[in-house]
Amino acid sequence: MAMARPIRILGLLAIGLWVFFLYQVFGPTRYPKGPGDTLKNLERDPNLDPTGEPEGILHRVEEGYGIGEAGTARINATLLSLVRNEEVDGMVQAMKDLERTWNHKFNYPWTFFNDVPFSEEFKRRTQAETKAVCNYELIPKEHWDMPSWIDNGLFEESARILKENDIQYGAMKSYHQMCRWNSGLFYKHPALEHMQYYWRVEPKVHFFCDVDYDVFRYMADHNKTYGFTINLYDAPASIPTLWPETVKFVAQHPEYLHDNNAMMWLTDSARRPEHNIKANGYSTCHFWSNFEIADLSFWRSQAYEDYFNHLDRVGGFFYERWGDAPVHSIAVGLFEDASKIHWFRDIGYQHIPYFNCPNSPKCRGCVTGRFTDGEAWLHKEDCRANWFKYVGMG
């Protein structure tokens, strides 16, 4: 006997509702969307506006920046790079750019670090790119090796999960070692004992603009602690417990929290709410630390030393993929006066796939205001708008 049409319709509706219910319960989690999750109505890039040098006292090329003992105007600072012998081509290219645009005028030393001895070829080719002193340093094994409290089996399982979740470099042990060293051990090397400032330079990066003032003396004269060019969102799946551990640390040491901190930038949940949810309260905004000009006094402070040791002991540098970029950014964002963090908007810079390209007659080789020359979705990774909103463009 044929089923009556209304009954068939009700039956289909019931099945449809049941499928919908099952999808809601067992389907993929749906997250709220914010203005940063779309490519519509992207903010106008402030690099489109004319860019000049920073305001205030600037030290230019004059007496005191010669080679060796003639460099009486130079302060205790160095260009710094963690680099492998096989990356010499990329390192030479980066040196050519920075020497042409800045260091041929000021002759600050280069300090290269490696976990194995540098080859004679590396030394010969890099020294040939600069008149300044080059120092080639070996990282102590106790600073590079996986610490004794890390369980190797758990690390390997964690690395497998990170790889399954498409976390870049998550399965590379050396990458985890690098992130830990850059986070809390590089400044303990004896070669930096008498240095106060450094400018981090990586292989294959590009510099586009002539810089005619001493950036290290700018940092000192204007009481700046940290300088950046690019400000990004991180992959939440690489750092799910970094912020919860930070919250624990701050609860134990409220005295380290600066009154004029950048907490709102670190915890914003409006622009890209899914990032905040997946990172358990952290916006994932960070300064891209392949470029950083910083005062080593901050990393040597008791606040940072205690913070790094807390993070190091819980194992997230190996069981997750905590990078030095979010670790450094959270630390300066919480424990330092936000007014001491400087956007070097006048320094044209590229680390694939992102740019900082100012509107300045001193720049050539990059497109003014370009943030990326990669896929369009990469524009969503720009967190500068939040920094400008909560802190400003200083």
Side-chain angles (χ1 to χ4, degrees):
M1 181 176 178
M3 187 180 297
R5 180 179 176 82
I7 295 175
R8 291 202 306 273
I9 292 173
L10 286 173
L12 290 171
L13 282 173
I15 293 171
L17 287 170
W18 180 243
V19 170
F20 177 76
F21 171 75
L22 291 175
Y23 179 82
Q24 292 296 312
V25 174
F26 299 107
T29 304
R30 292 189 297 176
Y31 294 95
K33 299 297 181 183
D37 291 311
T38 176
L39 295 177
K40 296 179 182 178
N41 303 315
L42 288 174
E43 290 87 352
R44 184 178 185 276
D45 196 311
N47 272 330
L48 292 170
D49 298 326
T51 297
E53 295 176 331
E55 296 180 355
I57 299 170
L58 297 175
H59 294 273
R60 304 185 184 280
V61 177
E62 52 194 25
E63 292 297 320
Y65 284 106
I67 305 298
E69 293 183 359
T72 55
R74 280 192 297 274
I75 60 176
N76 292 333
T78 188
L79 300 164
L80 183 154
S81 185
L82 172 64
V83 58
R84 296 189 181 281
N85 287 313
E86 56 268 29
E87 295 175 302
V88 64
D89 289 341
M91 194 70 246
V92 164
Q93 174 258 295
M95 290 182 72
K96 284 180 183 291
D97 273 12
L98 191 51
E99 287 288 329
R100 184 190 73 249
T101 57
W102 184 72
N103 200 44
H104 80 277
K105 296 166 252 188
F106 298 98
N107 296 303
Y108 274 96
W110 288 83
T111 305
F112 301 100
F113 291 99
N114 197 344
D115 65 311
V116 300
F118 280 105
S119 67
E120 290 305 312
E121 180 195 7
F122 185 96
K123 294 178 183 179
R124 174 179 54 79
R125 291 184 59 190
T126 50
Q127 183 63 79
E129 297 302 326
T130 179
K131 297 175 295 181
V133 172
C134 289
N135 302 298
Y136 303 92
E137 305 294 343
L138 184 65
I139 299 171
K141 280 181 61 64
E142 61 270 22
H143 285 181
W144 188 258
D145 287 351
M146 186 183 291
S148 60
W149 57 86
I150 298 298
D151 183 290
N152 192 64
L154 182 55
F155 164 70
E156 291 180 353
E157 176 63 16
S158 301
R160 182 187 63 79
I161 294 170
L162 288 168
K163 185 176 181 179
E164 288 178 355
N165 289 329
D166 296 322
I167 299 301
Q168 191 175 29
Y169 310 125
M172 289 177 58
K173 181 180 178 182
S174 62
Y175 191 84
H176 293 263
Q177 292 169 298
M178 177 195 72
C179 290
R180 176 176 179 258
W181 185 81
N182 275 327
S183 292
L185 295 165
F186 79 96
Y187 54 88
K188 297 179 180 178
H189 196 286
L192 299 180
E193 181 180 1
H194 300 295
M195 293 295 175
Q196 184 177 356
Y197 296 97
Y198 68 95
W199 181 342
R200 180 167 157 185
V201 184
E202 292 198 354
K204 297 184 179 181
V205 300
H206 288 282
F207 296 92
F208 302 105
C209 309
D210 291 328
V211 180
D212 296 320
Y213 61 95
D214 184 337
V215 299
F216 294 126
R217 292 188 69 176
Y218 171 80
M219 296 284 286
D221 291 340
H222 297 271
N223 199 22
K224 299 294 184 182
T225 297
Y226 191 90
F228 72 95
T229 53
I230 295 171
N231 187 326
L232 300 173
Y233 286 91
D234 208 345
S238 69
I239 47 172
T241 67
L242 176 57
W243 187 252
E245 287 299 333
T246 299
V247 170
K248 288 180 189 176
F249 176 79
V250 171
Q252 295 166 4
H253 294 282
E255 71 276 12
Y256 291 153
L257 200 62
H258 199 283
D259 290 340
N260 187 37
N261 59 55
M263 178 74 80
M264 295 298 292
W265 172 68
L266 292 169
T267 59
D268 175 79
S269 61
R271 186 172 177 82
R272 299 191 76 182
E274 183 177 344
H275 277 61
N276 182 285
I277 293 168
K278 288 183 175 180
N280 295 297
Y282 174 33
S283 67
T284 76
C285 288
H286 63 281
F287 308 119
W288 216 20
S289 58
N290 45 70
F291 176 109
E292 61 182 10
I293 301 174
D295 185 345
L296 287 159
S297 301
F298 180 82
W299 312 129
R300 294 166 177 153
S301 70
Q302 194 63 53
Y304 187 74
E305 185 71 10
D306 289 348
Y307 178 58
F308 172 74
N309 286 337
H310 175 90
L311 298 182
D312 200 25
R313 279 290 172 178
V314 297
F317 290 109
F318 292 94
Y319 302 143
E320 296 179 11
R321 196 210 64 184
W322 293 356
D324 52 277
V327 170
H328 280 187
S329 301
I330 289 172
V332 295
L334 292 180
F335 310 139
E336 185 54 285
D337 184 337
S339 69
K340 294 184 178 182
I341 302 171
H342 179 68
W343 176 35
F344 277 103
R345 65 183 300 173
D346 58 315
I347 298 182
Y349 178 72
Q350 181 203 22
H351 181 298
I352 294 173
Y354 300 112
F355 291 81
N356 183 71
C357 192
N359 180 358
S360 169
K362 294 187 176 186
C363 302
R364 54 196 176 276
C366 66
V367 178
T368 297
R370 170 179 280 175
F371 175 68
T372 181
D373 57 358
E375 298 292 331
W377 62 267
L378 290 171
H379 285 90
K380 295 189 292 185
E381 304 308 311
D382 185 3
C383 193
R384 288 176 303 164
N386 268 3
W387 180 257
F388 302 149
K389 174 183 176 182
Y390 293 120
V391 180
M393 294 189 186

